[in-house]
Amino acid sequence: MKVGVIGGTGRVGARLIAHLRAEGHQGVALVRSAGVDVTTGEGLREGLAGCEVCVNVSTPPAFDGSALDFQERAMAHMLDAGRAAGTGHFVVLSIVGCEEVPQVPYYAAKAWQERALADSGVPWSVLRATQFHEFVPEVMDWTTERGVVRLPSTPLQPVAVADVVNLLVEVVLGPPTRARANLAGPESFALDDLARHVLARHPDGRAVVTDEEAGLFAAVPGRELTAPRDATIGPTTFDAWLRDSWPA
Ligand SMILES: NC(=O)c1ccc[n+]([C@@H]2O[C@H](COP(=O)([O-])OP(=O)(O)OC[C@H]3O[C@@H](n4cnc5c(N)ncnc54)[C@H](OP(=O)(O)O)[C@@H]3O)[C@@H](O)[C@H]2O)c1
């Protein structure tokens, strides 16, 4: 099977393509560094030629209000190019609970992306994952100032990218489900404690201070981003990932 992967050089995309290849399929990275821009449509029709499946695992440049414009343009071009290429299955990787936190602009944009795909009339599947283990160090850097990481105690249930890709491959190679499936990691933590786990294992001189006002996740009031009852649970614990995969 030939699969076009918008975002195919990212954390998820690169592993997805490697996994597809290992199973005898062809994964094509549709990214700006290969001359494809999903927000303008440049190179997308050519890139999707012959692809039975189109997967979108791209990320916008910023997590602010501009993310909606990115998703609107990306969805229009993906559907247009995929229809022209005769693509029979469109897959989006989204985020658990995104529709429950519209006050977070990036998550509101992901909820819009899901709805737009579901309403488009094309055969589709959505896999939603919780925050990646690999994303936690990035979140820590966002709110680091003068050696102090300020983070709220927002509950998260992170999952390893390897576990995301294992399930995403099944979704990509399976029939369109016209449904959203949820995936989470095995344990939930307060975000500030996740940062403490990182620095306990890999001290770099920074300290963590709990600050319920700090960063993007301060706007999440409760357990909206943790596993819903129907979620598949990925096996890799945060500490096992910290031990085995650092630096990512
Ligand atoms: N981070 C999390 O914790 C998390 C949790 C759940 C779901 N997700 C979702 O998982 C997906 C993958 O995330 P990730 O962390 O693997 O992303 P990532 O590592 O940031 O990779 C982003 C990819 O998007 C490509 N890209 C960016 N702008 C593009 C454009 N205009 N046209 C074409 N390609 C473009 C990049 O390549 P170029 O720069 O070369 O274009 C890169 O391959 C995202 O959709 C995200 O919403 C993330």
Side-chain angles (χ1 to χ4, degrees):
M1 189 180 277
K2 186 174 174 189
V3 179
V5 184
I6 301 169
T9 54
R11 273 182 290 229
V12 170
R15 279 184 188 241
L16 174 64
I17 287 178
H19 210 311
L20 287 167
R21 284 191 185 140
E23 292 197 22
H25 301 282
Q26 187 186 356
V28 184
L30 306 174
V31 292
R32 289 169 299 177
S33 45
V36 179
D37 190 332
V38 72
T39 64
T40 63
E42 182 191 350
L44 200 53
R45 283 193 184 203
E46 299 85 334
L48 281 174
C51 290
E52 289 148 80
V53 185
C54 172
V55 187
N56 187 350
V57 286
S58 64
T59 299
F63 286 3
D64 57 16
S66 65
L68 180 59
D69 178 59
F70 180 98
Q71 297 299 2
E72 287 175 348
R73 293 197 288 146
M75 184 58 70
H77 289 298
M78 182 180 85
L79 292 172
D80 180 57
R83 285 186 177 116
T87 303
H89 186 188
F90 295 77
V91 178
V92 158
L93 181 61
S94 187
I95 301 173
V96 165
C98 57
E99 81 291 0
E100 292 186 49
V101 286
Q103 65 277 22
V104 179
Y106 181 55
Y107 288 8
K110 292 296 286 187
W112 182 90
Q113 182 193 35
E114 288 187 3
R115 284 194 307 273
L117 182 64
D119 292 346
S120 68
V122 301
W124 62 279
S125 306
V126 168
L127 177 63
R128 301 167 134 195
T130 52
Q131 289 62 45
F132 305 154
H133 293 341
E134 288 82 348
F135 186 49
V136 174
E138 189 179 323
V139 171
M140 291 168 63
D141 290 344
W142 291 347
T143 57
T144 296
E145 253 180 72
R146 292 188 293 278
V148 176
V149 187
R150 293 186 178 279
L151 287 172
S153 58
T154 309
L156 298 181
Q157 195 166 341
V159 64
V161 165
D163 295 340
V164 174
V165 171
N166 284 341
L167 190 53
L168 186 58
V169 167
E170 286 181 28
V171 174
V172 166
L173 297 178
T177 60
R178 293 183 167 82
R180 299 161 172 84
N182 290 295
L183 171 68
E187 305 160 300
S188 67
F189 299 86
L191 174 57
D192 55 339
D193 284 340
L194 273 173
R196 290 187 181 98
H197 276 253
V198 170
L199 294 177
R201 181 94 204 165
H202 303 284
D204 63 8
R206 288 183 292 176
V208 179
V209 169
T210 303
D211 179 345
E212 300 300 348
E213 314 266 292
L216 178 154
F217 290 99
V220 179
R223 301 189 62 81
E224 291 85 349
L225 301 181
T226 60
R229 270 216 291 275
D230 68 352
T232 299
I233 301 298
T236 310
T237 64
F238 190 70
D239 284 333
W241 171 78
L242 268 182
R243 198 178 51 239
D244 299 341
S245 311
W246 188 277

